[in-house]
Amino acid sequence: MCLFIETIRIEDGKVYNLDYHIERFDRTRATFWKDSAPIDLRALISPQSLAGVYKCRVVYGKEIEEITYVPYQMRDISSLRLVVADTVDYTYKSTNRENLNALYAQRKTADDVLIVKDGCLTDTSIANVALYDGKMWCTPSHPLLRGTKRAELLDKKIIVEKDIPQAHLGKYSKIMLFNAMIDWGCIILPVDDKHLIL
């Protein structure tokens, strides 16, 4: 069985969205190891006096395998290539990213891919997305991964879930990428042929 990951943002010693990470960590372990003893993830995260933005990476299975802290540098993304992958499955955030890496390799001159499954938008290879329809930010109802930042934004009603067929892209003016490390509002692209490439 493969291992799973939580990627947690730490900025100037403050841990972000830890409750959402704990919920997913507990849910994943309960799914795959029903008899596993609880692990207090909160007690194991030690931001201490980290200055700047760090990525805390927790690798785990039935037990914690490792916890690492590395400075975070956001990837520059200014274009996405749409790729179709009807069989891709990334329900759980795992160390096995072979399918996602194979899709990312199809980006050609673009910076990342926007994955289309069953005719609808899902995620990029590294982030959830939301699209702006002139009134609200809509996030795909069926993402590849239900990210922790996505869960927070839904709870705060900053985004709403909606099926977004590829054929309806013209109804949206902007697309935003976000995840635990890429904060809301950091990567926004126009929905046009230059930035979303078929």
Side-chain angles (χ1 to χ4, degrees), residues 72 74-81 104 110-114 124-127 175 177-179 182 186-190 195-196:
Y72 177 69
M74 190 167 66
R75 186 190 298 178
D76 183 29
I77 298 175
S78 59
S79 60
L80 302 169
R81 181 174 298 279
Y104 179 71
D111 297 315
D112 201 349
V113 292
L114 179 56
T124 74
S125 72
I126 61 164
I175 182 169
L177 281 61
F178 57 92
N179 62 24
I182 302 171
C186 287
I187 300 179
I188 305 174
L189 307 177
H195 297 90
L196 290 185

Side-chain angles (χ1 to χ4, degrees), residues 3 7 16 36 80 109 111 124 127 168 198:
L3 296 172
T7 303
Y16 283 77
S36 59
L80 302 169
T109 57
D111 297 315
T124 74
H168 293 179
L198 297 176

Side-chain angles (χ1 to χ4, degrees), residues 169-180:
L169 263 175
K171 296 181 178 182
Y172 300 90
S173 60
K174 295 180 279 192
I175 182 169
M176 190 180 316
L177 281 61
F178 57 92
N179 62 24

Side-chain angles (χ1 to χ4, degrees), residues 131-151:
L131 289 93
Y132 187 65
D133 67 1
K135 295 180 180 178
M136 63 183 73
W137 286 96
C138 306
T139 195
S141 299
H142 303 285
L144 297 181
L145 179 71
R146 295 182 183 278
T148 54
K149 187 69 178 179
R150 179 182 182 275

Side-chain angles (χ1 to χ4, degrees), residues 23-34:
E23 191 275 330
R24 184 169 65 186
F25 172 84
D26 290 342
R27 178 167 26 94
T28 300
R29 291 183 71 247
T31 298
F32 290 92
W33 298 279
K34 291 179 172 52

Side-chain angles (χ1 to χ4, degrees), residues 94-173:
S94 74
T95 56
N96 181 0
R97 289 181 52 91
E98 286 181 18
N99 290 337
L100 293 180
N101 291 341
L103 294 172
Y104 179 71
Q106 297 178 38
R107 72 193 183 282
K108 298 181 182 175
T109 57
D111 297 315
D112 201 349
V113 292
L114 179 56
I115 301 161
V116 179
K117 183 175 182 178
D118 300 326
C120 289
L121 303 187
T122 61
D123 299 326
T124 74
S125 72
I126 61 164
N128 291 133
V129 299
L131 289 93
Y132 187 65
D133 67 1
K135 295 180 180 178
M136 63 183 73
W137 286 96
C138 306
T139 195
S141 299
H142 303 285
L144 297 181
L145 179 71
R146 295 182 183 278
T148 54
K149 187 69 178 179
R150 179 182 182 275
E152 178 200 18
L153 293 169
L154 284 168
D155 284 350
K156 291 182 175 178
K157 303 191 182 333
I158 293 171
I159 58 176
V160 296
E161 287 187 307
K162 183 177 180 181
D163 284 339
I164 306 177
Q166 179 181 343
H168 293 179
L169 263 175
K171 296 181 178 182
Y172 300 90
S173 60

